[in-house]
DNA sequence: TGAATAGTGTCTTTAAGACATTATTTA
DNA sequence: TAAATAATGTCTTAAAGACACTATTCA
């Protein structure tokens, strides 16, 4: 992606998804300037004043164009503007994160595990923007049911717990986790089970219109899973 | 204030303060177009790329220029952008709210009680921006000690409770409130009391560097004080 | 003394933490 | 039967809710 004609304002999108129980972020390699190592960039771009009705439309358009997918949740993290984050001078960027529901079949090219971002070279302040987004998601996981947006259509409570643990970077008590989510009334038990190498697990789906729940207390879990 | 030369991006600031136990917002009357009624506007303006190092600097500069005061807390609420909020077409605005500490002597011109905003005519979407800010502050009052930023240097627990109640628009149990704030360890009891028409009240000040506390549970209070 | 407000005692309630125990499957 | 994971029972703990009660001042 080259620099847009209007350098003042850009939208930056941190797109997240689960893959094999890990959180991945979508990054595109920049046209590498002869060096051996690519520089990776967030999905981003300027507002299209012709077709975008608002900034969230811009976000959706960028995701659609790059990933041909639709996010199940989009949230504005912050808007950052200063003279130092970009070599071209004063730049303003609105940062969003987007959660994609887990779909079985989908290419993993350009997806990178968030636990290994240190090994990549990221453009400008994009690493910081990712960390801001992950921090926001982590905070929300402590007192809302937001991580549900990352789950596939059917899932077990253990899978959901691992999703939360992944985001929160901590170990959660199984009993407390199940009590909390089941009593919130967000889930519907299906009449099917996930069979694996041990006891089969009850499958659930999300009750329509009940994805987001705000709990009255935080859930902590113990440090570093 | 007239329209800036660069209409794309503006910073809008909802400045709040306490006065006689009520929340007030600062609004400036616009050059009225011959009608009898003024249209009021938030403090706002474009970024000054020469002197502002970042957007928060812009906010501080705008507050300083208009009020000759310094906020004790500034928070970005959101960035809104669409083609409909402003008659000139696509506009982007970053909205901040700022809390001013309560100072005894200060003019109240251009300050309006937030409970009576319905009676005023506000420019563009400014009423909505104020409501977004108040909603954010209300949420934060439920699980942080943010409202402390509105208090004067010395205050009683009853005064502090009324500040919270004002923001949360609800009645709070006295015992629960005191337990919560005192056990958070944010306050230092002074060796002086506030004398009034009844039993004198212990005066407190904020412990240095301990203004912001995140509680593990929300505090609710009952509807409409 | 009574009104007003400050401040406390204490029991209840809610929901998370801890952790052991049972249940059901496959190899 | 052993290993693995699912699911539950139940006691403890932390902190808010409810609300009555005492304390101290002024008029």
């Amino acid at each position: 992606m080259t620099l847009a004609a209007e350098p003042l304002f850009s939208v930056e999108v941190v797109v997240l998804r689960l893959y094999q129980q890990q959180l991945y972020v979508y990054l595109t390699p920049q046209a590498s300037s002869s060096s051996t190592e690519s520089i990776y960039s967030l999905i981003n771009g300027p507002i299209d004043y012709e077709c975008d009705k608002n900034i969230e439309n811009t976000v959706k358009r960028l995701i659609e164009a790059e990933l041909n997918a639709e996010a199940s949740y989009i949230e504005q993290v912050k808007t950052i503007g200063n003279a130092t984050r970009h070599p071209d001078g004063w730049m303003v960027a609105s940062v969003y994160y987007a959660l994609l529901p887990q779909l079985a079949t989908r290419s993993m090219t350009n997806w990178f595990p968030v636990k290994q971002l240190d090994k990549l070279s990221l453009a400008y302040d994009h690493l910081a923007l990712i960390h801001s987004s992950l921090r926001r998601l982590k905070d929300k996981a402590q007192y809302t049911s937001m991580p549900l947006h990352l789950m596939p259509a059917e899932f077990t409570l253990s899978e959901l717990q691992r999703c939360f643990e992944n985001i929160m970077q901590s170990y959660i008590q199984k009993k407390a986790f199940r009590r909390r989510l089941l009593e919130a009334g967000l889930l519907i038990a299906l009449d099917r089970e996930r069979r694996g190498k041990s006891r089969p697990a009850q499958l659930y789906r999300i009750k329509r219109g009940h994805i987001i729940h705000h709990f009255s207390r935080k859930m902590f879990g113990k440090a570093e899973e």
Side-chain angles (χ1 to χ4, degrees), chain A:
Chain A
M1 204 214 69
T2 56
L3 270 177
E6 165 59 88
L8 180 68
F9 187 85
S10 76
V11 176
E12 311 274 336
V13 191
V14 179
V15 187
L16 300 170
R17 66 171 292 200
L18 282 181
Y19 179 69
Q20 290 176 348
Q21 315 267 23
Q22 293 297 309
L23 253 191
Y24 281 67
V25 61
Y26 188 85
L27 299 170
T28 52
Q30 302 291 74
S32 175
S33 54
S34 80
S35 80
T36 53
E37 208 181 6
S38 286
I39 289 182
Y40 293 92
S41 170
L42 291 171
I43 294 178
N44 62 13
I47 293 168
D48 180 335
Y49 298 100
E50 297 298 319
C51 76
D52 297 334
K53 292 175 69 173
N54 52 47
I55 306 182
E56 195 154 310
N57 273 174
T58 309
V59 175
K60 289 177 182 168
R61 177 175 54 74
L62 291 168
I63 295 172
E64 171 71 28
E66 183 69 36
L67 286 163
N68 192 33
E70 189 179 354
S72 47
Y73 180 71
I74 290 174
E75 179 176 328
Q76 188 182 86
V77 178
K78 63 176 172 181
T79 297
I80 186 170
N82 59 53
T84 57
R85 60 176 293 271
H86 200 284
D88 289 359
W90 245 101
M91 287 278 292
V92 175
S94 275
V95 184
Y96 287 74
Y97 73 87
L99 306 182
L100 294 192
Q102 192 178 329
L103 299 172
T105 60
R106 202 170 257 293
S107 156
M108 286 306 288
T109 44
N110 290 344
W111 288 94
F112 299 88
V114 296
K115 285 190 178 174
Q116 294 168 37
L117 289 180
D118 299 336
K119 297 173 183 168
L120 297 180
S121 295
L122 295 203
Y124 315 123
D125 56 356
H126 287 194
L127 183 60
L129 303 187
I130 295 171
H131 282 312
S132 296
S133 298
L134 292 175
R135 155 60 51 158
R136 171 74 63 89
L137 182 58
K138 181 177 180 176
D139 287 347
K140 291 237 163 166
Q142 285 194 337
Y143 62 94
T144 77
S145 57
M146 219 54 91
L148 273 177
H149 281 105
L150 288 163
M151 300 305 287
E154 301 181 356
F155 51 87
T156 69
L157 284 182
S158 292
E159 287 163 2
L160 182 58
Q161 180 172 345
R162 280 191 288 273
C163 171
F164 272 80
E165 288 175 335
N166 235 289
I167 291 167
M168 293 170 64
Q169 304 262 58
S170 67
Y171 160 81
I172 302 169
Q173 294 267 350
K174 179 159 66 171
K175 189 63 201 284
F177 180 79
R178 284 163 183 251
R179 214 169 26 201
R180 187 168 154 113
L181 271 111
L182 289 176
E183 289 177 0
L186 309 170
L187 304 179
I188 291 179
L190 303 172
D191 53 0
R192 295 188 302 111
E193 295 178 328
R194 167 98 73 230
R195 304 189 80 83
K197 27 184 186 281
S198 72
R199 174 175 172 177
Q202 175 68 55
L203 279 170
Y204 293 86
R205 69 169 175 82
I206 298 164
K207 193 183 290 186
R208 283 204 189 290
H210 287 75
I211 292 198
I212 299 181
H213 182 88
H214 285 253
F215 298 98
S216 64
R217 303 189 191 179
K218 288 185 186 171
M219 178 178 58
F220 288 99
K222 284 191 196 158
E224 288 307 329
E225 192 179 356

